[in-house]
Amino acid sequence: MRGVYHGELESITGGLAQMARLAASAISRATTALLDADLRLAESVIAADDRLDRKQRDLEERAIAVLARQQPVATELRTAVTALRISAELERSGDLALNVAKLARHRFPDHAVPNELHATVREMGNVAQCLMAKAADVIVTRTLETALELQGDDDAMDDLHRALFRQLMDDRWQHSVEDAVDVALAGRFYERFADHAVAVAERVVYLVTGSYPDSISAP
Amino acid sequence: MRGVYHGELESITGGLAQMARLAASAISRATTALLDADLRLAESVIAADDRLDRKQRDLEERAIAVLARQQPVATELRTAVTALRISAELERSGDLALNVAKLARHRFPDHAVPNELHATVREMGNVAQCLMAKAADVIVTRTLETALELQGDDDAMDDLHRALFRQLMDDRWQHSVEDAVDVALAGRFYERFADHAVAVAERVVYLVTGSYPDSISAP
C-alpha cells in the first residue's frame, strides 16, 4: 500500500514542478507582451492561466485524497501538506503573470511602460522567470542549498523594485499619471511573483527540515 | 480519542476566527492611520502584524499535528486541511493591512490620500473590515448563506476600486505622481484584502459542501 501512495505523492510533486514551469513561462511571456504591446501574446497568457487553475484544483484534490485514504505519517504527511501550500502559491503566481498580461491588454495599442523603464522591467521579468524556474527545480530535487539561494536572488528583485520606484518618483518624470500607476502596479506584480517563488522554496525547506528558514516570515 | 481531537479542531477554528477579527481590526485602524496621517496608529498596526504571523504558525502546526497524530477522516480531515488554507489567507490579509499602514508611515507627516478621495478610501476600509468580520462569523458558524453573501459584498469593493481608478485617471487630477501611485497601491491592497475574506468564506463552503462555489476561482 505504501508503494502506491508513495508513487502518487511523486506524481503530485511532478505536477507541482510543472505548475512552476508554467508560471515561469507565463511571467516571461507576459513581460514580452507588456514591453512590446503585443496583444496576441497577452491574450495567450490570459487564456493559459485557466490551465494553472485547473492543475491546482487537481493537485489539491489528489493531495487531500492521499491524506484521506492513506493516512500518511512523517515525511509523506509533510509532502501531502506541503503540496497543498505550494499549489496555492503557484496558482497565485499565475494570477500575477495574468495581471501583467492584463496591463498590456488594457493599454493596447499603447505601451504601458515608457521606453526608459524597459530595461528595468525586462530585468524584473528575467529575475521572476529565473526564480520560478529555480523553484521548479527545488520542488523536484529538494536541494536545500538551492532553496536557500532563492532568498538571495529575491534581493535582486527588491533592488529592481526600488530602482523602478526611484525612476517613477523622479521630478523629471515626463509621462502621464496613468503610466506611473501602471508601472507601479507592474512592479508590485513582479515583486509578489518573486515572493511566491521564495515561499515555494521555503515550503520545501520545511518539508526537508521540518521547520522554516528563520529569517523568513510565513509567506 | 475522537473527543480529544474534536476539541482541538474546535479550538483551532476559534483561533482562526480570532485571526480574522485581528485582521478586520488591522485594516480598520490602518485606514484611519492612512486618512489621518496618524503615525502612532500606523506603527501600532505594523507592530501588531507579528501577532497574526505567530498565530498563523501556531494554528498551522496544530492542524498538522492533528493530521499526524489523529489521522482524521471525513469532516474532521476537511476541517484540518481547511484550517491550513484559511490561516494562510488570514496571515496574508494581515500583510495587506500592514502595507496600508506602511503607506501612511512612509508619507508621514504628509497625507498619502488627497482630500477628495478620502470618502472612497474610507468606504473601502469599511467594506474590507465588514467583509473580514463576516468571514470571522462564517468560520465559527459555518453558515452557508452568509458565506455566499460575501461574494456579493465583494462586488461593492470592486465598484469602489473602479471608482478610485476613475478619479486617479481623471484629466483634472491635480496631485503628484507619488500621490497617484500611493492611492493606486492602496486601492490594490484593499481589493486583495477583500479577496482573502471571500477566499476564507469559499474555504468554509468547501468544508461544508465538499466543493467550491462554482462561480469562484481558487483563491
Side-chain angles (χ1 to χ4, degrees):
Chain A
M1 197 60 166
R2 186 182 176 284
V4 174
Y5 85 73
H6 198 75
E8 173 65 353
L9 285 175
E10 271 185 13
S11 164
I12 291 171
T13 300
L16 293 172
Q18 193 198 356
M19 277 187 79
R21 284 189 293 265
L22 286 172
S25 161
I27 198 72
S28 171
R29 289 181 304 128
T31 304
T32 304
L34 184 68
L35 295 176
D36 297 353
D38 183 335
L39 181 62
R40 186 176 298 190
L41 188 57
E43 293 284 11
S44 107
V45 174
I46 292 164
D49 186 57
D50 191 45
R51 192 170 158 209
L52 263 180
D53 290 349
R54 277 183 284 115
K55 193 93 197 150
Q56 193 254 331
R57 293 287 178 102
D58 173 57
L59 294 174
E60 178 175 304
E61 279 167 22
R62 285 166 59 194
I64 293 173
V66 169
L67 289 170
R69 293 189 202 131
Q70 319 294 348
Q71 311 208 320
V73 293
T75 304
E76 277 75 18
L77 170 66
R78 283 215 301 269
T79 303
V81 168
T82 303
L84 292 174
R85 310 303 295 264
I86 288 182
S87 73
E89 301 285 353
L90 293 173
E91 190 273 331
R92 188 66 208 130
S93 58
D95 285 349
L96 291 159
L98 174 82
N99 286 343
V100 171
K102 280 183 174 173
L103 276 183
R105 181 172 74 177
H106 177 65
R107 294 297 294 277
F108 182 83
D110 289 338
H111 283 68
V113 179
N115 273 332
E116 66 268 33
L117 295 178
H118 272 216
T120 307
V121 171
R122 192 182 311 280
E123 190 56 22
M124 291 180 93
N126 284 340
V127 171
Q129 190 252 325
C130 288
L131 271 164
M132 196 52 87
K134 209 178 253 192
D137 285 347
V138 167
I139 288 169
V140 176
T141 64
R142 298 189 183 173
T143 312
L144 217 55
E145 290 72 24
T146 317
L148 295 171
E149 252 177 58
L150 265 87
Q151 297 172 23
D153 298 345
D154 188 42
D155 292 343
M157 181 60 89
D158 291 341
D159 290 345
L160 287 163
H161 196 212
R162 272 190 290 272
L164 194 72
F165 266 75
R166 267 198 307 277
Q167 286 173 279
L168 279 183
M169 300 305 171
D170 195 300
D171 289 340
R172 287 162 296 180
W173 179 259
Q174 301 280 348
H175 308 280
S176 68
V177 164
E178 187 171 12
D179 287 340
V181 165
D182 281 353
V183 168
L185 289 175
R188 170 108 192 132
F189 297 150
Y190 285 110
E191 192 224 2
R192 289 294 306 149
F193 184 98
D195 286 346
H196 286 291
V198 173
V200 167
E202 284 176 23
R203 297 284 171 193
V204 175
V205 171
Y206 164 79
L207 181 60
V208 174
T209 66
S211 62
Y212 292 103
D214 256 1
S215 58
I216 303 282
S217 69
Chain B
M1 197 58 165
R2 186 182 176 284
V4 174
Y5 83 75
H6 198 75
E8 173 66 355
L9 285 175
E10 270 184 14
S11 164
I12 290 171
T13 300
L16 293 172
Q18 192 197 359
M19 277 188 78
R21 286 188 291 265
L22 287 171
S25 161
I27 198 71
S28 170
R29 290 181 303 129
T31 304
T32 303
L34 183 68
L35 294 176
D36 297 353
D38 183 335
L39 181 62
R40 187 176 296 190
L41 188 56
E43 293 285 9
S44 107
V45 175
I46 292 164
D49 186 56
D50 192 44
R51 193 170 156 207
L52 263 179
D53 292 348
R54 277 183 285 114
K55 193 90 198 152
Q56 193 255 330
R57 294 287 177 100
D58 174 56
L59 294 174
E60 178 175 305
E61 279 167 22
R62 286 167 59 194
I64 293 173
V66 169
L67 288 171
R69 292 188 203 132
Q70 320 294 350
Q71 313 209 319
V73 293
T75 304
E76 276 75 19
L77 170 66
R78 284 214 301 269
T79 302
V81 167
T82 303
L84 292 174
R85 308 304 294 265
I86 288 182
S87 73
E89 301 285 353
L90 293 173
E91 189 274 330
R92 188 65 208 128
S93 57
D95 286 348
L96 290 160
L98 174 82
N99 285 344
V100 170
K102 280 184 174 172
L103 275 182
R105 181 173 72 178
H106 177 65
R107 293 297 294 278
F108 181 83
D110 290 337
H111 282 69
V113 179
N115 273 332
E116 65 268 34
L117 295 178
H118 272 216
T120 308
V121 170
R122 190 181 314 278
E123 190 55 22
M124 290 180 93
N126 284 342
V127 172
Q129 191 252 324
C130 288
L131 271 164
M132 195 54 86
K134 209 178 255 192
D137 285 347
V138 167
I139 289 169
V140 175
T141 64
R142 297 189 185 173
T143 313
L144 218 54
E145 290 70 26
T146 317
L148 295 171
E149 251 176 59
L150 267 87
Q151 297 171 22
D153 298 345
D154 187 42
D155 291 344
M157 181 62 89
D158 292 341
D159 290 345
L160 287 162
H161 196 212
R162 272 190 291 271
L164 194 72
F165 267 75
R166 267 197 307 276
Q167 287 173 279
L168 278 184
M169 298 307 171
D170 195 299
D171 288 342
R172 288 162 295 180
W173 180 257
Q174 302 278 349
H175 308 280
S176 68
V177 164
E178 187 172 12
D179 287 339
V181 165
D182 282 353
V183 169
L185 289 175
R188 169 110 191 129
F189 298 149
Y190 285 110
E191 191 224 3
R192 290 293 306 149
F193 185 97
D195 286 346
H196 287 289
V198 173
V200 166
E202 284 176 23
R203 297 284 170 194
V204 175
V205 172
Y206 164 78
L207 181 60
V208 175
T209 66
S211 63
Y212 291 103
D214 255 3
S215 58
I216 304 281
S217 68

